[in-house]
Amino acid sequence: MKGFFLQDLKRSFLNKGFFAGLFAVTWILVSAAFHVPLNGSRSSYFIMIEVFAASGFTPFAAIFPGLAYASAFCEEYNSGYIKMMYSRMLPGKFALTRIVTVALSGGTMLAIPFIIVLSIVYCFGIPGIPTGSDKGLMAGTALVFYIENYGEWYIFLWKVILGFLFGCIWALAGLAFAVWLPNRYVALIAPFVLYEAMWLVLGELSALNPMYLMRGDDLNNYPLSGFIECIYILLASFAVIWGLKRRYQNG
């Protein structure tokens, strides 16, 4: 079991899809950072808002996490590899391993670019509560409380965590679609369609809308945003486990 987990974890990261998605997200966010003032004249928070808004990343964010490893199940199923794995371990163990490896690769794909772009934001922006022309940007938000009581690192850390959890959600959504409909294109496209549908249906309901949960600012509570994202991860994991057990029972 341990050997298979390490092998599967290695495969989830060392593949073209992971590096393609990682490069794409990094390029989108970092290039947007160079379209805002990085001369120390604007607050870090202003630059952060501009980067994620100007990049156009958020509406398409669900596309990338599944590129790494979510669709690998389709090839395994169609080639008969999955039957061999079921002969070596119970579907529950296989499901747990695959859920962890897919989630880690999808989450890391977003976490690394977030760390890079947020480092740029805090290196070239004015730290602390916005003043001057940016005064009032944080008015009425919990960010003022976070900065005053915990410091800038708290916001930095939670932005990365929320990005990581978001990547986990949509990588697992891709895996769930792959398990139920083992077609590579479905596994890659369906999560994006679901993401857009949830955005439209849930609208301004920031407590459930995954787009707002990734930012955390709309809910005005980073830990709560992270908790709700974890619930989505559990729901996606349940769909994966249910689908794999169904495949096992149907032979």
Side-chain angles (χ1 to χ4, degrees):
M1 177 67 179
K2 182 179 179 181
F4 174 71
F5 172 77
L6 294 176
Q7 182 184 17
D8 207 49
L9 184 63
K10 182 179 178 180
R11 289 176 60 199
S12 70
F13 283 94
L14 299 181
N15 62 78
K16 294 179 180 178
F18 175 80
F19 288 106
L22 179 65
F23 176 80
V25 176
T26 303
W27 176 266
I28 291 170
L29 294 179
V30 172
S31 61
F34 288 97
H35 286 83
V36 295
L38 296 178
N39 54 7
S41 63
R42 305 303 295 265
S43 72
S44 299
Y45 188 63
F46 170 82
I47 298 174
M48 187 189 306
I49 293 174
E50 288 297 306
V51 166
F52 284 94
S55 66
F57 168 72
T58 305
F60 302 97
I63 294 176
F64 303 102
L67 292 176
Y69 203 45
S71 63
F73 178 85
C74 301
E75 299 174 8
E76 295 170 345
Y77 178 79
N78 293 325
S79 66
Y81 173 81
I82 192 66
K83 292 183 178 180
M84 182 191 72
M85 292 309 305
Y86 280 169
S87 67
R88 297 173 56 187
M89 65 175 67
L90 294 174
K93 290 184 177 180
F94 175 79
L96 180 61
T97 298
R98 185 53 58 89
I99 285 170
V100 172
T101 56
V102 167
L104 286 176
S105 62
T108 303
M109 182 187 289
L110 295 193
I112 292 176
F114 275 39
I115 290 172
I116 294 172
V117 75
L118 288 171
S119 297
I120 294 174
V121 165
Y122 284 107
C123 283
F124 296 97
I126 302 173
I129 299 172
T131 58
S133 60
D134 297 331
K135 185 177 181 179
L137 280 177
M138 291 184 178
T141 70
L143 295 177
V144 175
F145 174 81
Y146 292 151
I147 292 176
E148 290 179 341
N149 290 272
Y150 306 117
E152 298 277 356
W153 70 269
Y154 187 83
I155 296 176
F156 184 108
L157 179 62
W158 269 108
K159 286 288 185 181
V160 174
I161 291 174
L162 293 177
F164 176 81
L165 293 176
F166 181 92
C168 293
I169 292 171
W170 295 103
L172 289 174
L175 176 60
F177 279 110
V179 167
W180 285 90
L181 299 168
N183 180 287
R184 179 179 178 83
Y185 298 104
V186 171
L188 294 175
I189 298 173
F192 171 68
V193 175
L194 176 61
Y195 175 67
E196 294 295 317
M198 291 178 69
W199 179 25
L200 294 174
V201 172
L202 296 174
E204 297 300 320
L205 190 59
S206 56
L208 296 176
N209 194 320
M211 180 179 294
Y212 297 142
L213 292 175
M214 179 179 65
R215 296 196 300 232
D217 301 329
D218 302 88
L219 195 55
N220 210 24
N221 189 318
Y222 288 164
L224 180 58
S225 296
F227 175 74
I228 296 174
E229 284 192 315
C230 287
I231 292 177
Y232 276 130
I233 289 173
L234 290 176
L235 291 174
S237 299
F238 174 76
V240 172
I241 294 172
W242 185 17
L244 285 173
K245 286 187 176 181
R246 173 176 168 272
R247 292 287 176 195
Y248 177 75
Q249 292 169 353
N250 293 341

